[in-house]
Amino acid sequence: MSIEENLNSIEADLNGKKVVLVAVSKTKPVEDIQTAYNAGIRDFGENKVQELMGKESELPKDIRWHLIGHLQRNKVKYIVGKVYLIHSLDSIRLLNELEKHYSAEGLIANTLVQINIGREESKTGIYVENLESLIEACENCTSVKVRGLMAVIPQGDEESCRYYFKEMKSIFDKLKERKFKNISMNVLSMGMTHDYKIAVEEGATLVRIGEGIFGKRNYNK
Ligand SMILES: *Cc1c(COP(=O)(O)O)cnc(C)c1O
């Protein structure tokens, strides 16, 4: 199916729900992004800073770029002012680096805290027990705002997906009831090509879809 056809069928699934669709364009050429853009998509996700920067410079300025991959501290300086939402805040050290560079430019870093909900060693994100101390540190910032939570759940069957999505929703709802400085719970970023329908049923407000829009990725090119 073409990119347009894929988008139509995903949008039909999301129709009537208040869910943001982020088109994950990693490894894909700017032509594909332009095609999705022409079909009305404005939110695009990349997992590598360099790739995002290269595409950002070539594509329309009204695109909202989402950084969905792990962010190394030494790359923060490149993204200031270029990224709409950072989905991968996962340490106090990264928080401090964001605070330093964004405050120097008089800008605000909008972020999601990434949680390693499946406690997988191969994945980034913080463990739930470290959430409180990260939140406390955020309260002392002037230039970093937390807008919600993000997770990449372990691969598994439908029951397993539901379990992790529910865990995330429950953490999200509990934080939402409390009042913190600099922290609001508006965005729950979870769900990818194979599980986004389940994620939406379980309360996702944003889904990140790559192969379901652009087709299989080839990492060997
Ligand atoms: C690649 C990626 C996605 C999209 O995955 P698909 O299976 O292609 O939909 C979503 N989120 C993150 C963090 C990713 O790295």
Side-chain angles (χ1 to χ4, degrees), residues 95-112:
L95 175 73
N96 291 338
E97 198 70 13
L98 289 166
E99 173 71 10
K100 182 174 107 191
H101 286 278
Y102 276 80
S103 64
E105 298 293 328
L107 295 172
I108 297 292
N110 288 299
T111 67
L112 305 178

Side-chain angles (χ1 to χ4, degrees), residues 3-181:
I3 291 172
E4 288 94 341
E5 285 169 324
N6 289 334
L7 282 170
N8 282 339
S9 94
I10 292 164
E11 279 168 349
D13 284 334
L14 300 178
N15 188 26
K17 304 192 175 80
K18 278 180 69 184
V19 177
V20 175
L21 170 60
V22 172
V24 176
S25 46
K26 63 191 188 196
T27 79
K28 296 293 177 180
V30 292
E31 292 73 25
D32 286 4
I33 301 178
Q34 189 67 54
T35 301
Y37 179 92
N38 294 344
I41 300 295
R42 292 294 178 272
D43 292 275
F44 291 90
E46 290 285 338
N47 66 339
K48 295 209 167 85
V49 168
Q50 229 173 341
E51 192 173 341
L52 189 155
M53 305 301 295
K55 290 172 174 174
E56 191 267 349
S57 67
E58 289 184 44
L59 284 155
K61 292 298 157 206
D62 62 341
I63 287 180
R64 296 181 286 267
W65 291 101
H66 295 251
L67 184 65
I68 60 174
H70 183 62
L71 175 56
Q72 288 172 296
R73 282 177 295 142
N74 62 3
K75 301 274 172 70
V76 168
K77 55 180 178 286
Y78 302 117
I79 64 164
V80 180
K82 305 237 157 111
V83 171
Y84 176 75
L85 186 62
I86 299 162
H87 290 229
S88 47
L89 174 58
D90 65 354
S91 72
I92 292 177
R93 296 200 318 164
L94 176 58
L95 175 73
N96 291 338
E97 198 70 13
L98 289 166
E99 173 71 10
K100 182 174 107 191
H101 286 278
Y102 276 80
S103 64
E105 298 293 328
L107 295 172
I108 297 292
N110 288 299
T111 67
L112 305 178
V113 175
Q114 182 178 356
I115 298 183
N116 187 346
I117 194 71
R119 313 186 74 84
E120 294 173 284
E121 271 186 34
S122 60
K123 292 213 172 103
T124 53
I126 61 166
Y127 290 143
V128 186
E129 61 268 27
N130 298 326
L131 192 54
E132 286 290 328
S133 51
L134 182 58
I135 284 176
E136 268 176 39
C138 290
E139 288 201 282
N140 295 319
C141 288
T142 60
S143 306
V144 181
K145 306 280 178 205
V146 172
R147 305 296 183 191
L149 304 178
M150 180 271 214
V152 180
I153 65 165
Q155 284 188 350
D157 59 14
E158 179 178 335
E159 193 188 346
S160 160
C161 291
R162 265 190 214 288
Y163 172 82
Y164 290 112
F165 290 146
K166 276 188 207 299
E167 291 272 294
M168 285 299 297
K169 178 68 159 75
S170 146
I171 299 165
F172 181 81
D173 286 342
K174 281 192 195 120
L175 288 179
K176 199 175 189 147
E177 280 171 19
R178 298 164 61 192
K179 291 282 165 275
F180 302 100
K181 216 176 136 221

